[in-house]
Amino acid sequence: MPDQIRPPQVANTEDPFEVLRASKDFFLRRLWEIVSKAGVGKQSLLAAFGREVGDAYDQLASASPRDDF
């Protein structure tokens, strides 16, 4: 795996909320790294981008409940 990517650690894998939260954190961390390596160095831009992507992630995740997640 590139950069030794490790999947998120979830204490209680039966709790869909915890799995979703850990997945979002992992996704945003990796995206932050990628955008930083692409040359965006201004912290305020990275933070704004992270907030917007995080909000979009939340909207997509809550768009339709997934009982079988």
Side-chain angles (χ1 to χ4, degrees):
M1 287 176 144
D3 298 328
Q4 298 300 318
I5 300 169
R6 293 189 182 113
Q9 298 297 314
V10 180
N12 180 358
T13 57
E14 296 297 318
D15 185 354
F17 173 79
E18 289 300 320
V19 172
L20 189 59
R21 184 191 56 77
S23 297
K24 177 184 174 183
D25 291 345
F26 179 71
F27 173 72
L28 289 176
R29 253 192 338 270
R30 290 299 297 159
L31 188 60
W32 183 287
E33 290 172 19
I34 291 166
V35 172
S36 295
K37 287 178 182 179
V40 178
K42 192 170 182 181
Q43 293 298 314
S44 60
L45 290 176
L46 287 168
F49 181 71
R51 278 192 307 275
E52 291 301 318
V53 171
D55 289 348
Y57 189 100
D58 290 341
Q59 288 176 1
L60 287 171
S62 65
S64 61
R66 300 200 184 278
D67 293 334
D68 61 345
F69 185 76

